[in-house]
Amino acid sequence: MLDDLDDIHPLFHGAPASTEFKKLRKRIVRQTREAIEHYGMVDQAARQDGGRPKWLVCLSGGKDSYTLLAVLHELQWRGLLPVDLLACNLDQGQPGFPATVLPAFLEKMGVPHRIEYQDTYSVVVDKVPAGRTYCALCSRLRRGHLYRIAREEGCSAVVLGHHRDDILETFFMNLFHGGRLATMPPKLVNEEGDLFLYRPLAHVAEADCEKFARAMNYPIIPCDLCGSQDGLQRQQVKQILDGWEKNSPGRRQVMFRALTNARPSHLLDPKLFDFAGLALRDAEIDENLPDIPRLS
């Protein structure tokens, strides 16, 4: 089935025929479909009204976004994802960005797309003090443009390529530096309340995205064109997680599973659990019960 060119999306043409790659592809597709279903990413209201949701799939040119694009089109091709997909690349004016790579790739693959140029890089360089990283402001500006584009294209959701390890790293960044238990949610509504934001690769490991995109020989664009990546807190957290994973293989997946198994009553946030309202099962204490000696 996977090797018949008439039976796959062009994004999978030239896929390796090895058993290892087929298992990798099957795992990524299964985990992506699992996340879409588990977090309710397909707009049920639109389906009930006879409509078909449209997603803006953000493509940076990195391994993660290529994996996202391919897997979503695979699911759509198989009839397992009843949505329309529009790939979108936002060229932010970073020095050295190869502006022709993604348009040529998307045209060749027959993928509906929109390429938008917005020079947010100059804005970031002007606003961010020397020595500070650009990522936070750059991300906010990018998100604003993507929301605008989604509205213009009639999309109900903006879809990003963040994977399991991005989510786990964000959790530890918030833990170590932000003093809060929080991470990237797989599904949220924007502040204006008119668009969803989805992360269908939420259950997929970064290593699998790397193996997949490299095996497919997609034209990967480096993510450090702006020169703002060295020394980031995220890189420090990644190194810590790499060390834990090396010493205890499978540790990342165990920690990620913990994010899906939160117990508010066993944390310390009274906004999530009514500690003050806790009461004993018996409102009255039986006077005939013997005294319980105190522990010294």
Short mmCIF file of all heavy atoms in Angstrom, two decimals, residues 164-170 172 176 234-248 251-252 255:
data_model
loop_
_atom_site.label_atom_id
_atom_site.label_comp_id
_atom_site.label_asym_id
_atom_site.label_seq_id
_atom_site.Cartn_x
_atom_site.Cartn_y
_atom_site.Cartn_z
N ARG A 164 6.17 16.55 20.81
CA ARG A 164 6.20 16.15 22.22
C ARG A 164 7.33 16.81 22.99
O ARG A 164 7.14 17.30 24.12
CB ARG A 164 6.35 14.63 22.31
CG ARG A 164 6.39 14.07 23.73
CD ARG A 164 7.04 12.71 23.77
NE ARG A 164 8.48 12.78 23.50
CZ ARG A 164 9.29 11.72 23.47
NH1 ARG A 164 8.81 10.52 23.66
NH2 ARG A 164 10.58 11.88 23.23
N ASP A 165 8.52 16.86 22.39
CA ASP A 165 9.68 17.39 23.10
C ASP A 165 9.59 18.90 23.28
O ASP A 165 10.06 19.43 24.29
CB ASP A 165 10.95 16.99 22.37
CG ASP A 165 11.13 15.48 22.34
OD1 ASP A 165 10.45 14.83 21.54
OD2 ASP A 165 11.92 14.96 23.14
N ASP A 166 9.00 19.61 22.32
CA ASP A 166 8.75 21.04 22.50
C ASP A 166 7.85 21.28 23.71
O ASP A 166 8.10 22.19 24.51
CB ASP A 166 8.07 21.63 21.26
CG ASP A 166 9.00 21.75 20.07
OD1 ASP A 166 10.19 22.05 20.28
OD2 ASP A 166 8.54 21.55 18.93
N ILE A 167 6.82 20.47 23.81
CA ILE A 167 5.86 20.61 24.91
C ILE A 167 6.54 20.31 26.25
O ILE A 167 6.35 21.03 27.24
CB ILE A 167 4.66 19.69 24.67
CG1 ILE A 167 3.85 20.19 23.47
CG2 ILE A 167 3.78 19.58 25.91
CD1 ILE A 167 2.74 19.25 23.03
N LEU A 168 7.35 19.27 26.27
CA LEU A 168 8.03 18.89 27.51
C LEU A 168 9.06 19.94 27.91
O LEU A 168 9.17 20.32 29.08
CB LEU A 168 8.71 17.53 27.32
CG LEU A 168 9.22 16.83 28.57
CD1 LEU A 168 8.08 16.61 29.56
CD2 LEU A 168 9.87 15.49 28.20
N GLU A 169 9.81 20.44 26.94
CA GLU A 169 10.80 21.48 27.24
C GLU A 169 10.14 22.75 27.75
O GLU A 169 10.65 23.41 28.68
CB GLU A 169 11.61 21.78 25.98
CG GLU A 169 12.56 20.66 25.58
CD GLU A 169 13.02 20.76 24.14
OE1 GLU A 169 12.79 21.83 23.53
OE2 GLU A 169 13.59 19.79 23.61
N THR A 170 9.00 23.11 27.18
CA THR A 170 8.28 24.30 27.64
C THR A 170 7.81 24.14 29.07
O THR A 170 7.83 25.08 29.87
CB THR A 170 7.09 24.60 26.71
OG1 THR A 170 7.57 24.80 25.38
CG2 THR A 170 6.33 25.84 27.17
N PHE A 172 9.30 22.43 31.45
CA PHE A 172 10.43 22.60 32.35
C PHE A 172 10.94 24.04 32.34
O PHE A 172 11.45 24.53 33.36
CB PHE A 172 11.55 21.62 32.01
CG PHE A 172 11.30 20.24 32.56
CD1 PHE A 172 10.84 19.22 31.74
CD2 PHE A 172 11.50 19.98 33.90
CE1 PHE A 172 10.60 17.96 32.25
CE2 PHE A 172 11.26 18.72 34.43
CZ PHE A 172 10.81 17.70 33.60
N PHE A 176 11.32 25.85 35.81
CA PHE A 176 12.61 26.35 36.28
C PHE A 176 12.68 27.88 36.32
O PHE A 176 13.28 28.47 37.22
CB PHE A 176 13.74 25.83 35.40
CG PHE A 176 13.95 24.35 35.46
CD1 PHE A 176 14.54 23.67 34.39
CD2 PHE A 176 13.56 23.61 36.56
CE1 PHE A 176 14.74 22.30 34.44
CE2 PHE A 176 13.75 22.24 36.62
CZ PHE A 176 14.34 21.59 35.55
N ARG A 234 15.90 27.40 26.45
CA ARG A 234 15.36 26.16 25.91
C ARG A 234 16.49 25.16 25.60
O ARG A 234 16.33 23.96 25.82
CB ARG A 234 14.53 26.42 24.66
CG ARG A 234 13.90 25.17 24.05
CD ARG A 234 12.96 25.50 22.92
NE ARG A 234 11.80 26.25 23.37
CZ ARG A 234 10.69 25.68 23.86
NH1 ARG A 234 10.61 24.36 23.96
NH2 ARG A 234 9.67 26.42 24.24
N GLN A 235 17.61 25.66 25.11
CA GLN A 235 18.73 24.78 24.81
C GLN A 235 19.30 24.18 26.09
O GLN A 235 19.72 23.01 26.12
CB GLN A 235 19.82 25.55 24.06
CG GLN A 235 19.40 26.02 22.67
CD GLN A 235 18.96 24.88 21.78
OE1 GLN A 235 19.61 23.83 21.77
NE2 GLN A 235 17.88 25.06 21.05
N GLN A 236 19.31 24.95 27.15
CA GLN A 236 19.79 24.43 28.43
C GLN A 236 18.88 23.33 28.94
O GLN A 236 19.34 22.29 29.43
CB GLN A 236 19.88 25.57 29.44
CG GLN A 236 20.89 26.66 29.07
CD GLN A 236 20.80 27.87 29.97
OE1 GLN A 236 19.95 27.95 30.84
NE2 GLN A 236 21.69 28.83 29.75
N VAL A 237 17.57 23.56 28.83
CA VAL A 237 16.61 22.54 29.26
C VAL A 237 16.75 21.30 28.40
O VAL A 237 16.70 20.16 28.90
CB VAL A 237 15.18 23.10 29.20
CG1 VAL A 237 14.15 21.99 29.39
CG2 VAL A 237 14.98 24.18 30.26
N LYS A 238 16.92 21.49 27.10
CA LYS A 238 17.08 20.34 26.21
C LYS A 238 18.29 19.50 26.61
O LYS A 238 18.22 18.26 26.59
CB LYS A 238 17.23 20.82 24.76
CG LYS A 238 17.39 19.69 23.75
CD LYS A 238 17.65 20.23 22.37
CE LYS A 238 16.38 20.71 21.70
NZ LYS A 238 15.46 19.59 21.37
N GLN A 239 19.37 20.15 26.99
CA GLN A 239 20.56 19.41 27.40
C GLN A 239 20.31 18.60 28.66
O GLN A 239 20.77 17.47 28.80
CB GLN A 239 21.72 20.38 27.61
CG GLN A 239 22.25 21.01 26.33
CD GLN A 239 23.29 22.09 26.58
OE1 GLN A 239 23.69 22.33 27.72
NE2 GLN A 239 23.71 22.77 25.52
N ILE A 240 19.54 19.18 29.59
CA ILE A 240 19.19 18.46 30.81
C ILE A 240 18.36 17.22 30.48
O ILE A 240 18.63 16.11 30.98
CB ILE A 240 18.41 19.37 31.78
CG1 ILE A 240 19.33 20.48 32.30
CG2 ILE A 240 17.84 18.56 32.95
CD1 ILE A 240 18.60 21.54 33.11
N LEU A 241 17.37 17.39 29.62
CA LEU A 241 16.51 16.27 29.24
C LEU A 241 17.29 15.21 28.47
O LEU A 241 17.05 14.01 28.63
CB LEU A 241 15.32 16.76 28.41
CG LEU A 241 14.35 17.70 29.13
CD1 LEU A 241 13.23 18.14 28.20
CD2 LEU A 241 13.77 17.03 30.36
N ASP A 242 18.22 15.67 27.63
CA ASP A 242 19.06 14.72 26.90
C ASP A 242 19.86 13.86 27.88
O ASP A 242 20.03 12.65 27.66
CB ASP A 242 20.02 15.46 25.95
CG ASP A 242 19.33 16.02 24.72
OD1 ASP A 242 18.19 15.57 24.42
OD2 ASP A 242 19.91 16.90 24.06
N GLY A 243 20.37 14.49 28.92
CA GLY A 243 21.14 13.75 29.92
C GLY A 243 20.29 12.73 30.64
O GLY A 243 20.72 11.57 30.84
N TRP A 244 19.10 13.12 31.04
CA TRP A 244 18.19 12.17 31.69
C TRP A 244 17.83 11.02 30.78
O TRP A 244 17.79 9.86 31.20
CB TRP A 244 16.91 12.90 32.13
CG TRP A 244 17.13 13.83 33.28
CD1 TRP A 244 18.20 13.89 34.12
CD2 TRP A 244 16.22 14.85 33.73
NE1 TRP A 244 18.03 14.88 35.06
CE2 TRP A 244 16.82 15.49 34.85
CE3 TRP A 244 14.97 15.30 33.31
CZ2 TRP A 244 16.22 16.53 35.53
CZ3 TRP A 244 14.36 16.34 33.98
CH2 TRP A 244 14.97 16.95 35.08
N GLU A 245 17.58 11.34 29.51
CA GLU A 245 17.21 10.31 28.55
C GLU A 245 18.37 9.34 28.31
O GLU A 245 18.16 8.13 28.17
CB GLU A 245 16.78 10.95 27.23
CG GLU A 245 16.28 9.98 26.18
CD GLU A 245 14.92 9.40 26.51
OE1 GLU A 245 14.19 10.01 27.32
OE2 GLU A 245 14.58 8.33 25.95
N LYS A 246 19.59 9.87 28.27
CA LYS A 246 20.76 9.01 28.06
C LYS A 246 20.95 8.06 29.22
O LYS A 246 21.26 6.87 29.03
CB LYS A 246 22.00 9.89 27.89
CG LYS A 246 23.27 9.10 27.63
CD LYS A 246 24.47 10.02 27.44
CE LYS A 246 25.75 9.23 27.19
NZ LYS A 246 26.92 10.15 26.99
N ASN A 247 20.74 8.55 30.43
CA ASN A 247 20.93 7.72 31.62
C ASN A 247 19.77 6.76 31.85
O ASN A 247 19.96 5.67 32.39
CB ASN A 247 21.13 8.60 32.86
CG ASN A 247 22.42 9.38 32.81
OD1 ASN A 247 23.41 8.92 32.24
ND2 ASN A 247 22.43 10.56 33.42
N SER A 248 18.57 7.18 31.44
CA SER A 248 17.38 6.34 31.62
C SER A 248 16.53 6.40 30.36
O SER A 248 15.61 7.23 30.25
CB SER A 248 16.56 6.83 32.83
OG SER A 248 17.32 6.80 34.02
N ARG A 251 12.81 8.06 29.47
CA ARG A 251 12.44 9.01 30.52
C ARG A 251 11.56 10.12 29.98
O ARG A 251 10.63 10.58 30.64
CB ARG A 251 13.70 9.60 31.15
CG ARG A 251 13.44 10.53 32.32
CD ARG A 251 12.76 9.80 33.46
NE ARG A 251 13.57 8.67 33.89
CZ ARG A 251 13.08 7.66 34.60
NH1 ARG A 251 11.81 7.62 34.91
NH2 ARG A 251 13.87 6.66 34.96
N ARG A 252 11.85 10.61 28.76
CA ARG A 252 11.05 11.69 28.17
C ARG A 252 9.58 11.29 28.07
O ARG A 252 8.70 12.06 28.40
CB ARG A 252 11.59 12.05 26.79
CG ARG A 252 12.62 13.18 26.76
CD ARG A 252 12.84 13.63 25.33
NE ARG A 252 13.64 14.85 25.26
CZ ARG A 252 14.95 14.88 25.14
NH1 ARG A 252 15.62 13.73 25.09
NH2 ARG A 252 15.61 16.02 25.06
N MET A 255 7.86 11.29 31.46
CA MET A 255 7.56 12.64 31.92
C MET A 255 6.42 13.25 31.11
O MET A 255 5.57 13.96 31.66
CB MET A 255 8.82 13.50 31.85
CG MET A 255 9.89 13.11 32.84
SD MET A 255 11.30 14.25 32.90
CE MET A 255 12.05 13.93 31.30
#
